[in-house]
């Protein structure tokens, strides 16, 4: 589902990471750990084609992400990728339900029943009409997770998706994430500092400046 070969990234001549090689199979749930500042979020952005890698190759469901044009990358992201951003990136002018449904609308297949189902699954039933500004940080994180899952993507990139959640809610959200991965034959790369979240993964990897270690 995801294949990364010798990926490298620098800022102003300072390496963030180099020689990152990784493969995720369909149905696999993989956790990535690493010290703060080692480039975990940057790696996810490079995988998604939101940031330009300096070297290497990323294949998403067989498509060479880094060699595509930006419109082609955007279409591939819409169709195949679900991204849980650490900063949420919800649109303030849209309601909670509209934010969740946005990936489906971009694909031309809105589905209100799917949105309602996910609102219930993340414990936000009845809050679809609210604005993001009316929600707490933990609620916003759950909206971001629902948005990432709504279109049943082939690859889920989750950047600290439980960082604002209490332990019991975090467990429920991880249950939901893993259930969709298994049901849809998707793959998930989870970036986390949480030992409890990492323990749920099929594999645990460590990102360093010189690559990835199991």
């Amino acid at each position: 589902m995801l294949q990364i070969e010798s990926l490298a990234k620098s800022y102003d001549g300072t390496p963030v990471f180099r020689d990152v090689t990784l493969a995720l199979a369909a149905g696999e749930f993989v956790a990535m750990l690493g010290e703060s500042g080692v480039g975990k979020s940057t790696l996810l952005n490079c995988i998604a084609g939101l940031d330009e890698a300096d070297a290497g190759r990323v294949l998403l469901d067989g498509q060479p992400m880094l060699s595509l044009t930006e419109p082609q990358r955007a279409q591939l992201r819409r169709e195949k990728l679900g991204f849980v951003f650490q900063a949420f990136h919800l649109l303030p002018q849209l309601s909670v339900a509209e934010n969740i449904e946005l990936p489906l609308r971009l694909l031309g297949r809105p589905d209100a029943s799917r949105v309602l189902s996910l609102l219930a699954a993340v414990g936000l039933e009845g809050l679809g009409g609210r604005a993001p500004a009316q929600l707490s940080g933990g609620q916003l994180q759950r909206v971001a997770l629902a948005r990432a899952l709504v279109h049943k993507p082939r690859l889920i990139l989750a950047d600290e998706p439980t960082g604002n959640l209490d332990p019991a809610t975090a467990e429920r959200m991880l249950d939901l994430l893993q259930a969709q991965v298994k049901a849809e034959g998707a793959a998930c790369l989870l970036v986390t500092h949480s030992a409890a979240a990492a323990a749920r993964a099929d594999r645990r990897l460590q990102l360093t400046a010189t690559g990835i270690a199991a």
Side-chain angles (χ1 to χ4, degrees), residues 1-3 58-65 76 80-81 155:
M1 190 58 60
L2 174 67
Q3 186 172 349
V58 175
L59 296 176
L60 170 52
D61 204 17
Q63 295 295 310
M65 176 65 80
L76 185 59
K80 307 278 188 176
L81 183 64
L155 175 67

Side-chain angles (χ1 to χ4, degrees), residues 26-205:
E28 194 171 22
F29 188 84
V30 175
M32 179 177 294
L33 301 99
E35 296 178 1
S36 296
V38 78
K40 300 183 297 297
S41 296
T42 300
L43 175 61
L44 293 188
N45 286 335
C46 287
I47 292 171
L50 298 170
D51 202 351
E52 290 288 341
D54 299 325
R57 196 161 74 125
V58 175
L59 296 176
L60 170 52
D61 204 17
Q63 295 295 310
M65 176 65 80
L66 303 184
S67 62
L68 299 177
T69 65
E70 183 49 42
Q72 289 172 328
R73 289 186 193 184
Q75 186 61 32
L76 185 59
R77 283 192 293 265
R78 289 174 187 169
E79 294 175 354
K80 307 278 188 176
L81 183 64
F83 205 132
V84 186
F85 294 96
Q86 193 171 357
F88 313 138
H89 293 316
L90 302 178
L91 298 181
Q93 68 272 30
L94 300 183
S95 70
V96 166
E98 289 168 338
N99 267 284
I100 293 173
E101 194 177 33
L102 185 58
L104 291 172
R105 288 195 171 275
L106 290 173
L107 290 169
R109 45 185 178 91
D111 186 343
S113 64
R114 172 71 174 160
V115 174
L116 289 174
S117 174
L118 276 171
L119 277 167
V122 299
L124 298 176
E125 193 170 14
L127 300 185
R130 292 195 182 183
Q134 297 175 296
L135 301 187
S136 69
Q139 290 171 324
L140 292 172
Q141 188 146 56
R142 285 180 275 163
V143 174
L145 177 60
R147 181 185 58 187
L149 300 182
V150 71
H151 58 306
K152 300 180 180 180
R154 301 291 290 153
L155 175 67
I156 302 161
L157 301 177
D159 194 355
E160 296 284 1
T162 61
N164 289 279
L165 305 178
D166 63 83
T169 303
E171 284 295 314
R172 292 199 298 272
M173 296 307 100
L174 290 168
D175 286 342
L176 175 64
L177 186 56
Q178 285 190 297
Q180 179 146 326
V181 167
K182 302 303 180 184
E184 301 298 329
C188 177
L189 182 59
L190 169 77
V191 162
T192 185
H193 284 103
S194 166
R200 302 282 300 265
D202 302 315
R203 284 191 288 145
R204 287 164 291 283
L205 306 174

